[in-house]
Amino acid sequence: MKALLCEEPGRLSLVSRPDPVRGEGDVLVRIRHVGICGTDFHIFAGKHPFLQYPRVMGHELSGTVVEAPTGSALKSGQPVYIVPYLSCGRCHACAKGLTNACYNIEVLGVHCDGGMAEYVSVPQQNVVPTGDIALADAAMIEFLAIGAHGIKRGHVAAQDRVLVTGSGPIGMSAIIFAKARGAHVTVMDTRRDRLDFAIERLGADAILLADEAAETNALEQTGGNGFDVVVDATGNAIPMQRGFNFLAHGARYVLLSVVRQDITFADPEFHKREATLYASRNAQPDDFAEVVRQIQAGKVPTRALNTHSGPLTDGVALFSEWAKPEAGVIKAIFEI
């Protein structure tokens, strides 16, 4: 089979590998669409904290069943999406239902080779029928679930004023699911085109330009109070630290981003607000189900999000091109 291999930071190659042999209890899936995530761009740039090279990337996956275990409800040819978090099912976290934070987790395309390839073999519990959702749209379910999980972690409710910092795809998913809960959502970014998109296509209520006046403008927008929930999706340590400045008293701060650096904050300010800090890692089965419900309800503008596509066989050139900010990528999807 063909696979796109990141041999080292900045170097991709299209390689030929043996087709995978279906493992016991696994489903062999013919991959049809692979969404490219910020994680993949970080891997390409050498910035991901949990990775060893070489690596076949790709964890936003949809395809069709080739072969399933005897007695499985999955049938050959059935359209499916893949939950890319391979949890052990035995550790302390898994016993509490926190499969997204499994002690021994392997994420496809990060800890082990992923789906930028023609076939993958994965455990049956990680393969989910798409129903009436198109396969191209199904390749976006995973990144949308990341945002849905973060919004759930922040206990976002209709009365909340929410600030989402960073309006890349993960930030956009947070906007979508905060709005689905009825919250008032403000988006902060340095890019006006992304802010315009958040208003026009995602239903955000207000914007903040991430300039030197952002804190002052945020207080003006919130009557001097700050935001009830701040969700960071910047992937950058400096704005992650700055996000603490926007918290109202009693607020919740959700970190969707993960970076190599330490994150620091002023404890007196944090303490006097009696604020709460949440990490948000991966997603859980109910988050995937929530994404499916919202897509089926027409609440997710999948066509607007999917701005770029092309064949995996052109992946070396396309990936490098799509990694450039001027390419204007929101979500790029490889077709196989």
Side-chain angles (χ1 to χ4, degrees):
M1 69 175 183
K2 295 182 179 67
L4 190 64
L5 181 70
C6 188
E7 299 186 46
E8 61 185 13
R11 186 156 68 97
L12 299 174
S13 59
L14 189 68
V15 300
S16 180
R17 288 185 160 189
D19 292 353
V21 177
R22 185 178 68 82
E24 184 178 356
D26 281 6
V27 177
L28 183 64
V29 178
R30 173 69 162 92
I31 299 298
R32 294 297 183 183
H33 297 273
V34 184
I36 300 176
C37 178
T39 296
D40 301 314
F41 288 125
H42 284 164
I43 291 169
F44 181 64
K47 296 179 179 179
H48 198 282
F50 303 134
L51 186 120
Q52 293 181 335
Y53 298 88
R55 179 65 70 229
V56 174
M57 300 179 292
H59 59 275
E60 300 179 3
L61 309 172
S62 67
T64 54
V65 173
V66 176
E67 184 182 11
T70 301
S72 171
L74 297 168
K75 304 301 179 185
S76 178
Q78 187 170 13
V80 294
Y81 69 87
I82 293 175
V83 177
Y85 321 128
L86 309 182
S87 55
C88 72
R90 302 180 301 275
C91 70
H92 180 66
C94 287
K96 295 195 296 183
L98 303 177
T99 54
N100 60 309
C102 168
Y103 281 59
N104 307 301
I105 197 166
E106 289 191 324
V107 179
L108 292 175
V110 180
H111 304 93
C112 57
D113 284 344
M116 289 188 186
E118 292 179 298
Y119 297 94
V120 295
S121 179
V122 292
Q124 182 175 213
Q125 64 265 26
N126 292 78
V127 181
V128 186
T130 60
D132 58 359
I133 296 175
L135 277 175
D137 293 348
M140 293 189 278
I141 290 174
E142 191 273 342
F143 95 82
L144 291 163
I146 298 291
H149 184 67
I151 294 304
K152 181 182 73 178
R153 288 282 288 158
H155 304 282
V156 172
Q159 70 270 19
D160 287 327
R161 297 184 68 97
V162 176
L163 174 67
V164 176
T165 64
S167 57
I170 298 298
M172 290 181 183
S173 67
I175 296 165
I176 290 167
F177 291 98
K179 288 300 301 178
R181 291 183 174 223
H184 182 282
V185 179
T186 299
V187 186
M188 184 167 72
D189 204 297
T190 58
R191 290 178 54 174
R192 288 190 177 274
D193 60 330
R194 289 289 179 89
L195 295 175
D196 291 341
F197 185 91
I199 292 285
E200 295 166 7
R201 303 307 300 266
L202 305 180
D205 300 287
I207 59 174
L208 271 175
L209 191 63
D211 58 15
E212 65 279 358
E215 282 87 348
T216 299
N217 293 334
L219 289 175
E220 290 178 357
Q221 285 190 15
T222 60
N225 295 315
F227 293 92
D228 303 300
V229 183
V230 177
V231 180
D232 176 85
T234 64
N236 186 296
I238 293 173
M240 288 170 77
Q241 293 181 159
R242 189 184 188 188
F244 288 91
N245 299 341
F246 298 90
L247 298 173
H249 285 233
R252 289 93 71 196
Y253 190 14
V254 181
L255 298 182
L256 286 176
S257 299
V258 57
V259 294
R260 287 180 178 272
Q261 303 97 313
D262 290 344
I263 300 298
T264 63
F265 57 90
D267 182 64
E269 291 296 324
F270 188 73
H271 194 85
K272 80 178 185 182
R273 287 169 169 78
E274 200 178 43
T276 304
L277 179 62
Y278 290 97
S280 183
R281 186 183 187 192
N282 302 326
Q284 296 171 326
D286 62 319
D287 303 311
F288 283 86
E290 171 67 5
V291 172
V292 170
R293 284 192 295 271
Q294 295 300 337
I295 291 177
Q296 291 173 331
K299 301 295 185 181
V300 182
T302 53
R303 292 294 180 265
L305 293 170
N306 180 10
T307 55
H308 294 67
S309 61
L312 185 72
T313 49
D314 294 340
V316 173
L318 288 175
F319 197 98
S320 297
E321 182 64 29
W322 292 340
K324 300 174 183 176
E326 59 268 27
V329 170
I330 293 177
K331 177 56 61 177
I333 297 179
F334 281 134
E335 302 162 347
I336 307 178

